Structure formats: structure tokens, C-alpha cells
């Protein structure tokens, strides 16, 4: 054969698969090799020899490559060092097995079959393995995602040109034309690096192989004696691989070296920004280095005994939008919210002055450069100078913004009615208790939807939910801005009218009862007639007594016919919607 691409695919799969799955892939490959030999008309001995040779060859190559593979490098920048393993050692092992087996069983010429096997498999692995490794390892997909549309179009043009020039070279006898596709692949390699080299060799091999298999190859006129088209193309592929792979490796190495030098330059510039940073880098204790290693994503701040900042880790810029150098010389208390300064200062003093061990993790509210607030978990420990005296503190700050946001969401969910988005009974009781303890004068109003169970039974719960949300919207629109509206039961709503006199509370609640009575019914809600019975009581004494008075007023309103308001302040009925005219605001 001209070349054997299956070996490159199998080695790429083994290289990127867990070791415990190798046996499965090797078994499948063995079945495929035996079936291919039998379908080609070969005998069972040859098929068995192919199975052994192909499986052992792939296993040897994968084992040798695994020893040198660098984690996170799908392109295998060590390709030049590994070329001998996959391009020479593994094919030689496979060739020895196949040639020796067939020589012993059928008397085949040993050297002839050994040479053909080694050349076909060596070139197949060298030409196809890099491309298959990119695909199987996922590096090709990630590389394509990073490219701009213009660069992808440019890469596609290079690959197309390689295929066209390869086919064109094989359709004419002049041997010099075979240099054109290699030159195009070298230009693409210089532009795109190792990925372009792997794809270029792959396209080159596929185009040549397809042309040769189609029978359209025109034998070139060569200055050297090469017997047959297959031998010439194998020699050509070997030259292409030797030209492109070392070039790609050299370009990759230079680009990585350039990037490393740039990173080193930026790091050096950061160190040079202040004499304090230099001093820290030279004289920091082993405990500090260990702490940095344990908390790379946290903010590390080193202070003197007065709290002056001597060092701030680079992560402070990401969390607070302040450059570490900007913090040097400032007091660490400048980063703490005023409401937490006293407790933070107490923790800091206990560690520095009293020599206490490291503090426990404590929550503190801090500032960002833009004036925003951010929550941190904070731990303080002392650091000692050459005289073994506590010379300051090392403070670890860990952002807990996500946890705090989740806590706030959970707190809101606990205190909110999901249907009406009003506060629920638990929140209402807390606010009513606050009014009683402050104390804050005002009134409590309770609204109970009349015959709500009948609405649910006759019209369904969807209509019942619509009635509830309508009442909630009506209360929001008619009550004052500062009034606290809650849903405290199934069909029951409560309103805290802070600072309202009984007369003011009566007028506000009258509007709610009358407005709902006017808009409900077939021309309003498009369904049942919805009315409310309401009761109002002064906020005084205890929470239970205030609620009992308002509840008693609601019960009285329902007993007198519903759709009305009762005031618990004097126990008399004031009005029903059908008995008084609408009062303009």
C-alpha cells in the first residue's frame, strides 16, 4: 500500500483515551484489521498476522507517546522528539511481527514485506496522526472557535490551494511541480503554526492518495531511479513531513518563547512599580508564601501594626477595581464599611497587640473603587519580624457575593407571596410588631374576598387566582405609597396604614370596597362578581389584640351582608357601597 492511515487514527484515540479503555479500542481495531485482510482475499494466517502486528504497533506507539505527553498540549509540541517513536520504533515492531510470521508460515520474502510494511505504516502515522490527534483531543475545535472569520477563510483557501496544486502536479510529468503544494503548505504553516502543518500534510496525503487510487497519476520524469508510483509518492510524503513538521515545531517554540518573555516583562514591570513590593518579594516569610499558595483566588493583604497596607495581592484588582500599588500606604480600615469598622478593628487588635492566634472567618462588608459595596469572608493572622515579634497582620479576604445574593433571594422568597408578589403573613407580622414596639401610630385594615370558595368551585382556580391578583393590584393603586400591603391568608389581605387616623383609614378603605364592587362582574373581570368585606382597627396593645379587633370587624361586615366596611374603633356600621355616592378625590 501507499500508506496506512488507520494506524494514525488508532494511536490518536489511545493517546487521548483513559488507559483502562485501551483494551476495548485495541480489540475493535484487531477485529477491523482481520476483517479487512479477509475481505481483500487474503488467507486466515495473514489476517491473524495483521491483527497482531497492528495492535502491537499501536500499543507501542501510544505507550511511548504517553510518557512524553504534556498535559493540556493537544498539539504535542514534542513532536520532533516523538517522531522516532511513532515513525520508526512502532512500525518496525509491527513489521517484524508480520514479516516473521508470514515468512515462517508461507515462506514470503522477509525483507521485501518488512520494508513495505514499515514504509507504509511509518508514513501513514506521520501524515495522519497529527490531524487525528487534533480532532480526537478536541484541539481542532477549540482552535477553530478562536479564529476570526477572515482567518478561517484564509486557512480554507490555503488548504484548497494545497489540494489543487497536488492534484495538478500528479496529472503532468514535470517533477518540479511537486514542490508547489509543499511550498503552499509551508506558507500556511508560517501563518498558522502547528495546526496548519498538520492539516496541510493531511490534505496533501489525501489528495495524492485519491489521485493515485483513481489511476490518474502521470509518472513524473525523475533524476533518480525510483521503481513505481508508490515508491515515488512515499519518498515525496517523507520529504513533505520532514520539511513541514520541524518548521511547525520551530515556529511553535518561538511563539511560546515570545509569549513567555512578554509575561516576564509584565511581571518585572509590576515588581518595579514600588520599593515596597520589592521589599515584600525579598523578605516575606515562609508562612506568607504558604498562605499565598493556599489562597491564590483570594485577596491577600499585609499590614504593619497600625494597619497600614504594605502589600496587596493582584486579585484585589479583580474584586475591588483597585490596583494593588494604589493601596500601598493606605489603612486597611479604609476598605471596610463604617458599620463593620469597630468589629474588624477589634479582631485586628486581638491578633497584633494581644498576640492571639489566627482569627476565625468573619463576614465583613467592604468597599470597591467605584464606591460600591462587596461582602467578604475575612481571616486575620499575625506575621513576625526578624526579632520574632508580631510586626503586623496578614489578612485573607474571600468574596462571598454569590452566597449573599443567594441568601437575599431565599430571604425574599420566604417573605413574599408567589402569586400576588405581596409580602406574606410572616413578613406582615414582623412589620406589625415593629409598629407596636416603636411605637408607630396608625390603623390596620383587613380585606376578605366574599364567597371566594364559591368562585373557586364554580369558575375554577384560575379565575380565583385572577381575582386575587386583581385585588392585589387594586390595593397597590388605591393605597398610599408608604402603606404596607400583604396577603396574610388564602383570600385575606392586610394593610398597615402608618400614621393614619381612623377617619383617614376609613376613607382609603371605602375607596377599595367601592371600586372593586364597581369593576367586578361580567363587564369588569369577565367572570364572577368579586367583592370584599373589610374591617379597620387602631394599632395598639399587642399584635394578637390588634388582629382580633380587625378580624371582628370583618366578621361583623360579613354578618351584615358582605361588600361593606366596619370600623372597630367605635363598633358602628358606617356605610355599604350601594348606600353612599362616590366621593371624588
Amino acid at each position: 500500500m501507499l500508506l496506512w492511515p488507520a494506524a494514525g487514527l488508532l494511536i490518536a484515540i489511545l493517546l487521548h483515551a483513559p488507559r483502562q479503555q485501551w483494551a476495548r479500542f485495541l480489540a475493535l481495531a484487531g477485529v477491523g484489521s482481520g476483517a479487512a485482510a479477509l475481505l481483500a482475499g487474503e488467507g486466515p494466517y495473514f489476517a491473524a498476522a495483521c491483527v497482531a502486528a497492528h495492535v502491537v504497533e499501536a500499543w507501542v506507539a501510544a505507550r511511548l507517546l504517553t510518557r512524553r505527553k504534556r498535559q493540556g498540549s493537544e498539539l504535542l509540541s514534542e513532536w520532533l522528539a516523538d517522531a522516532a517513536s511513532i515513525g520508526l520504533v512502532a512500525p518496525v515492531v509491527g513489521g517484524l511481527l508480520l514479516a516473521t510470521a508470514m515468512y515462517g508460515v508461507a515462506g514470503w520474502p522477509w525483507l521485501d514485506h518488512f520494508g513495505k510494511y514499515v514504509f507504509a505504516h511509518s508514513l501513514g502515522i506521520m501524515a495522519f496522526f497529527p490531524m487525528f490527534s487534533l480532532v480526537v483531543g478536541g484541539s481542532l475545535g477549540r482552535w477553530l472557535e478562536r479564529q476570526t472569520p477572515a482567518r478561517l477563510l484564509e486557512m480554507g483557501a490555503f488548504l484548497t490551494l494545497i489540494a489543487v496544486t497536488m492534484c495538478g502536479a500528479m496529472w503532468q510529468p514535470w517533477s518540479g511541480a511537486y514542490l508547489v503544494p509543499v511550498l503552499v503548505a509551508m506558507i500556511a504553516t508560517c501563518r498558522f503554526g502547528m495546526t496548519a502543518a498538520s492539516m496541510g500534510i493531511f490534505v496533501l496525503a489525501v489528495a495524492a492518495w485519491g489521485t493515485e487510487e483513481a489511476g490518474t497519476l502521470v509518472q513524473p520524469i525523475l533524476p533518480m531511479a525510483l521503481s513505481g508510483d508508490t515508491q515515488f509518492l512515499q519518498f515525496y510524503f517523507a520529504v513533505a513531513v520532514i520539511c513541514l513538521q520541524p518548521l511547525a515545531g520551530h515556529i511553535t517554540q518561538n511563539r511560546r518563547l515570545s509569549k513567555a518573555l512578554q509575561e516576564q516583562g509584565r511581571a518585572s514591570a509590576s515588581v518595579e512599580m514600588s520599593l515596597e513590593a520589592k521589599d515584600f518579594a525579598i523578605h516575606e516569610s515562609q508562612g506568607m508564601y504558604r498562605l499565598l499558595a493556599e489562597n491564590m483566588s483570594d485577596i491577600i493583604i499585609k499590614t504593619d501594626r497600625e494597619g497600614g497596607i504594605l502589600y496587596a495581592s493582584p486579585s484585589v484588582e479583580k474584586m475591588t477595581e483597585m490596583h494593588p500599588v494604589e493601596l500601598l500606604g493606605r489603612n486597611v480600615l479604609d476598605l471596610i464599611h463604617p458599620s463593620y469598622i469597630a468589629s474588624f478593628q477589634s479582631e485586628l487588635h486581638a491578633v497584633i497587640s494581644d498576640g492571639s492566634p489566627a482569627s476565625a472567618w468573619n463576614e465583613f462588608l467592604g468597599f470597591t473603587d467605584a464606591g460600591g459595596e462587596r461582602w467578604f469572608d475575612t481571616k486575620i493572622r499575625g506575621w513576625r519580624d526578624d526579632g520574632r515579634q508580631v510586626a503586623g497582620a496578614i489578612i485573607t479576604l474571600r468574596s462571598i457575593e454569590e452566597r449573599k445574593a443567594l441568601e437575599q433571594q431565599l430571604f425574599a422568597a420566604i417573605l413574599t407571596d408567589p402569586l400576588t408578589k405581596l409580602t406574606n403573613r410572616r413578613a406582615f407580622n414582623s412589620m406589625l410588631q415593629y409598629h407596636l414596639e416603636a411605637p408607630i401610630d396608625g390603623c390596620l385594615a383587613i380585606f376578605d374576598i366574599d364567597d371566594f370558595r364559591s368562585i373557586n368551585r364554580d369558575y375554577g382556580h384560575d379565575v380565583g387566582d385572577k381575582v386575587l391578583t386583581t385585588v392585589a393590584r387594586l390595593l397597590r393603586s388605591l393605597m398610599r405609597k408608604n402603606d404596607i400591603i400583604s396577603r396574610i391568608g388564602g383570600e385575606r389581605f392586610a394593610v398597615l396604614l402608618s400614621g393614619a387616623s381612623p377617619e383617614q383609614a376609613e376613607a382609603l378603605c371605602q375607596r377599595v370596597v367601592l371600586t372593586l364592587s364597581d369593576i367586578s362582574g361580567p363587564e369588569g373581570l369577565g367572570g364572577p362578581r368579586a367583592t370584599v368585606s373589610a374591617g379597620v382597627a387602631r394599632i395598639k396593645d399587642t399584635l394578637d389584640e390588634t388582629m382580633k379587633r380587625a378580624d371582628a370587624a370583618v366578621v361583623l361586615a360579613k354578618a351584615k351582608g358582605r361588600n361593606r366596611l366596619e370600623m372597630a374603633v367605635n363598633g358602628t356600621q358606617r356605610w355599604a357601597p350601594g348606600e353612599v355616592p362616590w366621593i371624588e378625590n
Side-chain angles (χ1 to χ4, degrees):
M1 292 188 65
L2 175 63
L3 68 170
W4 187 259
L9 175 60
L10 179 57
I11 295 170
I13 292 174
L14 293 179
L15 186 63
H16 295 282
R19 185 70 60 83
Q20 57 268 26
Q21 296 183 5
W22 280 21
R24 183 187 310 169
F25 291 119
L26 289 172
L28 292 174
V31 173
S33 296
L38 294 175
L39 291 174
E42 302 292 347
Y45 294 112
F46 181 77
C50 284
V51 171
H54 295 167
V55 169
V56 172
E57 174 190 53
W59 182 86
V60 170
R63 284 286 296 170
L64 293 174
L65 283 177
T66 303
R67 292 183 179 182
R68 295 183 52 83
K69 182 181 178 184
R70 303 295 188 264
Q71 185 176 2
S73 176
E74 304 294 349
L75 297 179
L76 296 178
S77 62
E78 305 87 0
W79 172 262
L80 292 177
D82 295 333
S85 301
I86 64 174
L88 182 60
V89 176
V92 166
V93 173
L96 285 172
L97 287 174
L98 181 67
T100 303
M102 295 313 298
Y103 175 77
V105 173
W108 287 11
W110 188 91
L111 186 60
D112 181 56
H113 284 83
F114 173 77
K116 289 180 179 179
Y117 183 98
V118 171
F119 272 108
H121 281 248
S122 177
L123 289 173
I125 294 173
M126 298 287 285
F128 288 95
F129 167 74
M131 183 63 185
F132 286 141
S133 181
L134 292 177
V135 175
V136 174
S139 292
L140 181 60
R142 293 190 293 271
W143 183 85
L144 293 174
E145 291 177 356
R146 293 195 302 266
Q147 306 306 308
T148 62
R151 283 178 62 83
L152 291 176
L153 184 62
E154 182 182 359
M155 187 64 187
F158 273 119
L159 296 178
T160 302
L161 188 58
I162 291 172
V164 170
T165 54
M166 187 70 240
C167 293
M170 299 183 68
W171 291 337
Q172 52 82 46
W174 182 51
S175 59
Y178 283 84
L179 295 175
V180 177
V182 177
L183 291 175
V184 175
M186 292 178 70
I187 296 173
T189 300
C190 292
R191 289 281 296 138
F192 295 95
M194 184 69 74
T195 303
S198 302
M199 297 174 70
I201 294 174
F202 181 85
V203 171
L204 196 73
V206 171
W209 193 14
T211 304
E212 195 264 349
E213 290 296 324
T216 58
L217 170 64
V218 177
Q219 177 65 44
I221 302 172
L222 300 171
M224 62 184 75
L226 291 174
S227 58
D229 299 340
T230 298
Q231 194 177 45
F232 164 71
L233 288 177
Q234 287 178 338
F235 173 78
Y236 177 73
F237 289 147
V239 172
V241 169
I242 292 173
C243 289
L244 292 174
Q245 287 294 352
L247 175 63
H250 180 69
I251 291 174
T252 300
Q253 181 179 2
N254 287 345
R255 288 179 177 175
R256 290 181 178 178
L257 179 60
S258 175
K259 184 177 181 180
L261 290 174
Q262 292 176 359
E263 292 293 335
Q264 184 179 359
R266 283 194 289 266
S268 298
S270 177
V271 172
E272 292 291 338
M273 292 183 71
S274 68
L275 293 175
E276 291 85 351
K278 284 184 181 180
D279 181 70
F280 170 80
I282 296 173
H283 298 291
E284 183 52 85
S285 65
Q286 292 182 354
M288 179 62 178
Y289 287 123
R290 183 173 63 253
L291 189 62
L292 287 173
E294 294 173 352
N295 302 277
M296 292 300 293
S297 62
D298 300 336
I299 297 175
I300 306 297
I301 293 179
K302 179 184 178 182
T303 73
D304 56 23
R305 292 183 62 86
E306 288 71 35
I309 298 177
L310 304 177
Y311 169 83
S313 63
S315 54
V316 71
E317 185 171 10
K318 180 180 179 181
M319 294 190 189
T320 66
E321 301 175 0
M322 302 180 190
H323 195 279
V325 176
E326 297 176 5
L327 296 177
L328 299 179
R330 295 178 59 180
N331 195 287
V332 69
L333 297 179
D334 295 342
L335 306 180
I336 306 300
H337 193 276
S339 58
Y340 286 87
I341 285 181
S343 57
F344 184 88
Q345 196 168 20
S346 175
E347 293 281 346
L348 187 64
H349 184 270
V351 171
I352 296 178
S353 299
D354 301 340
S356 301
S359 68
W361 287 99
N362 294 297
E363 294 182 1
F364 290 104
L365 186 62
F367 286 125
T368 64
D369 188 45
E373 297 177 352
R374 192 179 186 98
W375 282 98
F376 292 97
D377 244 354
T378 305
K379 189 170 187 176
I380 306 173
R381 68 178 65 187
W383 66 274
R384 298 179 181 273
D385 56 20
D386 296 338
R388 306 304 299 163
Q389 299 296 318
V390 177
I394 295 175
I395 305 170
T396 304
L397 294 92
R398 179 173 300 163
S399 177
I400 55 172
E401 279 295 295
E402 293 183 2
R403 190 181 81 193
K404 282 295 183 180
L406 179 60
E407 289 176 357
Q408 291 177 359
Q409 292 174 7
L410 293 175
F411 183 74
I414 292 173
L415 301 179
T416 303
D417 173 52
L419 177 63
T420 62
K421 308 306 178 186
L422 299 174
T423 51
N424 59 19
R425 187 181 188 92
R426 180 176 181 179
F428 172 80
N429 287 343
S430 297
M431 291 181 284
L432 177 55
Q433 186 65 39
Y434 174 76
H435 277 65
L436 291 167
E437 293 176 355
I440 300 175
D441 193 23
C443 292
L444 165 63
I446 295 180
F447 298 87
D448 194 290
I449 300 176
D450 298 325
D451 297 317
F452 186 71
R453 293 185 180 179
S454 299
I455 294 175
N456 277 334
R457 183 182 63 249
D458 298 338
Y459 295 92
H461 287 279
D462 289 342
V463 174
D465 290 346
K466 185 177 180 181
V467 171
L468 290 170
T469 55
T470 299
V471 173
R473 288 197 301 270
L474 184 66
L475 289 171
R476 286 195 186 98
S477 63
L478 295 181
M479 289 298 173
R480 300 173 303 175
K481 181 179 179 181
N482 295 329
D483 292 337
I484 300 172
I485 308 171
S486 304
R487 182 187 175 193
I488 60 172
E491 67 272 22
R492 180 162 286 204
F493 298 83
V495 182
L496 287 178
L497 299 143
S498 300
S501 64
E503 292 75 16
Q504 292 172 328
E506 180 181 9
L508 290 169
C509 295
Q510 283 176 355
R511 289 199 302 173
V512 175
V513 176
L514 183 59
T515 302
L516 181 62
S517 178
D518 287 344
I519 68 172
S520 65
E523 297 181 357
L525 295 173
R529 175 177 175 79
T531 60
V532 293
S533 297
V536 176
R538 292 288 297 272
I539 299 175
K540 62 178 182 178
D541 301 327
T542 65
L543 185 149
D544 289 339
E545 291 174 350
T546 302
M547 291 292 296
K548 286 179 181 179
R549 288 196 299 272
D551 282 335
V554 173
V555 171
L556 183 61
K558 288 185 177 290
K560 291 184 176 181
R562 299 183 176 86
N563 190 25
R564 64 196 308 118
L565 168 70
E566 286 293 329
M567 302 292 294
V569 292
N570 52 22
T572 60
Q573 176 186 341
R574 295 300 181 88
W575 64 285
E579 300 171 358
V580 299
W582 174 254
I583 301 174
E584 294 293 339
N585 294 328

